[in-house]
Amino acid sequence: MLAAACQMFLGKTEAEIAHIALETLEGHQRAIMAHMTVEEIYKDRQKFSEQVFKVASSDLVNMGISVVSYTLKDIHDDQDYLHSLGKARTAQVQKDARIGEAEAKRDAGIREAKAKQEKVSAQYLSEIEMAKAQRDYELKKAAYDIEVNTRRAQADLAYQLQVAKTKQQIEEQRVQVQVVERAQQVAVQEQEIARREKELEARVRKPAEAERYKLERLAEAEKSQLIMQAEAEAESVRMRGEAEAFAIGARARAEAEQMAKKAEAFQLYQEAAQLDMLLEKLPQVAEEISGPLTSANKITLVSSGGGAMGAAKVTGEVLDILSRLPESVERLTGVSISQVNHKPLRTA
């Protein structure tokens, strides 16, 4: 490339070199434009630039010039054809832009509604999942709580059981200690009792046994004496009882004979005998009637103004009561004392 450049541009200025390069590019540019329409050049500038760069680069390389980049700055014409084409294109573009914007807004609204729907659905699904998760959490938590409470209750019961066992062991040990202490106390007491028994035997029991032997002998003698006295008294009582029994029997026989005689007399004399018995009992009746008066400490008499006063009044009251005895006897026994008195005696 350096040799070609020296051959082509030796003795030329930079402006001349630039002019030659520009004309070469313009020539290749016109050649490519001849194979493309204006609309293609205007619409597809990238394709036009690539073709120009490809053809011009190979030609300029042969001249010793390397093309680094080729860019179209602007495309225009003297008749404003490209400008008018640009307006139509601009209008189409604006139309397409408005349509695209409307479609974009429509699609955006649809997508937004769909997004909102999906959002709501997702929110509902999320809430459902959250509710399910909350439910699962509550269920698992309840199960865990039950397990924890069960373990805690088991631990508490185990602790209480251990405490009870420990207390029981302590109590058993305390009881064992008390038993040992009691056994030691009993042993000490037994030793003390043995010592006191020996002391008692030395100081009291032997003299007491001698005294007891003496008292036993005296008691036996007294017992013998009492037995003899009791036997004598029993014999005396027996003889006295036999005498009293004989006397009672004799008295009973005498009374029986008397009653038999009275019965015979009752059969012989009947009402007279009855009267005799009544008259015999009348003093006793009078005694029983006046008995309460003899035990009275004070007697108060109330008088209506006539009749006897003082002791005469009391005597009169007693005599009045006695005068009514025949009537009472007649009502009780059916026997009239006054009638019996006037009837003749009948013999059998």
Side-chain angles (χ1 to χ4, degrees):
M1 290 178 65
L2 182 59
C6 290
Q7 183 179 358
M8 291 292 297
F9 303 114
L10 187 62
K12 292 182 171 58
T13 61
E14 291 182 3
E16 291 175 344
I17 295 171
H19 180 69
I20 293 170
L22 179 60
E23 286 181 350
T24 302
L25 286 173
E26 288 178 353
H28 289 296
Q29 185 174 280
R30 282 191 295 269
I32 293 172
M33 288 173 65
H35 297 285
M36 297 178 65
T37 62
V38 178
E39 288 79 5
E40 289 177 350
I41 297 171
Y42 186 79
K43 292 179 180 179
D44 198 358
R45 297 183 182 187
Q46 182 67 28
K47 179 180 179 181
F48 177 72
S49 298
E50 289 178 354
Q51 290 183 1
V52 173
F53 179 77
K54 181 178 179 181
V55 175
S57 295
S58 59
D59 194 11
L60 290 173
V61 166
N62 293 327
M63 296 172 62
I65 298 173
S66 175
V67 180
V68 178
S69 65
Y70 174 80
T71 304
L72 290 176
K73 184 177 180 182
D74 190 16
I75 298 176
H76 62 278
D77 64 309
D78 295 338
Q79 302 299 323
D80 290 334
Y81 176 77
L82 293 175
H83 181 67
S84 299
L85 185 63
K87 287 182 178 180
R89 180 60 181 166
T90 301
Q92 184 65 35
V93 170
Q94 290 178 353
K95 174 185 174 183
D96 293 340
R98 287 193 297 269
I99 293 172
E101 184 179 0
E103 290 177 351
K105 287 183 179 179
R106 180 199 64 191
D107 295 339
I110 293 172
R111 287 194 296 270
E112 185 179 0
K114 188 180 292 186
K116 287 182 179 180
Q117 183 179 1
E118 291 176 355
K119 178 182 178 182
V120 172
S121 299
Q123 184 177 357
Y124 288 158
L125 291 174
S126 177
E127 290 179 356
I128 291 171
E129 293 298 327
M130 289 176 63
K132 289 181 179 179
Q134 183 70 22
R135 181 198 62 188
D136 295 339
Y137 168 74
E138 294 293 338
L139 291 175
K140 289 182 179 179
K141 184 176 181 297
Y144 292 155
D145 290 340
I146 292 172
E147 186 177 359
V148 170
N149 293 331
T150 302
R151 296 290 179 84
R152 185 180 293 112
Q154 290 176 354
D156 293 339
L157 290 175
Y159 172 75
Q160 294 177 2
L161 180 62
Q162 187 62 37
V163 170
K165 288 182 178 178
T166 304
K167 289 183 178 179
Q168 184 178 2
Q169 292 176 357
I170 294 173
E171 184 66 20
E172 289 177 356
Q173 292 178 359
R174 187 179 65 81
V175 171
Q176 290 178 359
V177 171
Q178 290 181 353
V179 169
V180 173
E181 292 179 351
R182 183 61 181 169
Q184 292 177 354
Q185 292 177 358
V186 169
V188 172
Q189 290 177 357
E190 289 178 352
Q191 293 176 0
E192 182 66 18
I193 290 171
R195 185 187 65 80
R196 291 186 178 181
E197 286 181 352
K198 291 180 180 179
E199 183 179 358
L200 180 64
E201 184 176 0
R203 295 175 54 187
V204 178
R205 184 171 295 171
K206 290 183 178 179
E209 287 179 355
E211 183 67 21
R212 182 177 57 121
Y213 180 77
K214 176 182 178 181
L215 293 175
E216 286 177 355
R217 300 283 79 77
L218 292 175
E220 288 178 0
E222 185 176 357
K223 176 181 177 183
S224 300
Q225 184 179 0
L226 291 174
I227 289 172
M228 288 187 293
Q229 290 179 357
E231 290 176 352
E233 289 179 359
E235 184 66 19
S236 174
V237 168
R238 184 181 64 78
M239 294 177 68
R240 192 182 301 115
E242 290 178 356
E244 290 179 356
F246 181 79
I248 291 170
R251 190 182 303 113
R253 287 192 296 274
E255 289 179 355
E257 291 177 359
Q258 184 179 3
M259 292 298 294
K261 290 180 180 181
K262 284 184 179 181
E264 292 176 359
F266 284 156
Q267 290 179 359
L268 290 174
Y269 302 106
Q270 293 181 354
E271 293 180 353
Q274 295 175 5
L275 178 62
D276 181 63
M277 290 183 65
L278 289 174
L279 292 176
E280 185 180 354
K281 296 298 181 181
L282 280 177
Q284 297 180 6
V285 174
E287 183 180 358
E288 293 297 328
I289 291 172
S290 61
L293 296 176
T294 60
S295 61
N297 295 325
K298 182 179 180 181
I299 299 175
T300 302
L301 298 175
V302 179
S303 177
S304 59
M309 295 292 293
K313 177 69 175 176
V314 177
T315 305
E317 293 290 338
V318 174
L319 293 175
D320 183 56
I321 293 171
L322 291 175
S323 66
R324 296 176 185 174
L325 281 176
E327 297 177 3
S328 300
V329 171
E330 185 178 0
R331 286 197 300 270
L332 293 172
T333 63
V335 179
S336 176
I337 297 175
S338 59
Q339 291 178 2
V340 172
N341 227 0
H342 294 87
K343 287 181 181 180
L345 295 174
R346 291 178 298 177
T347 58

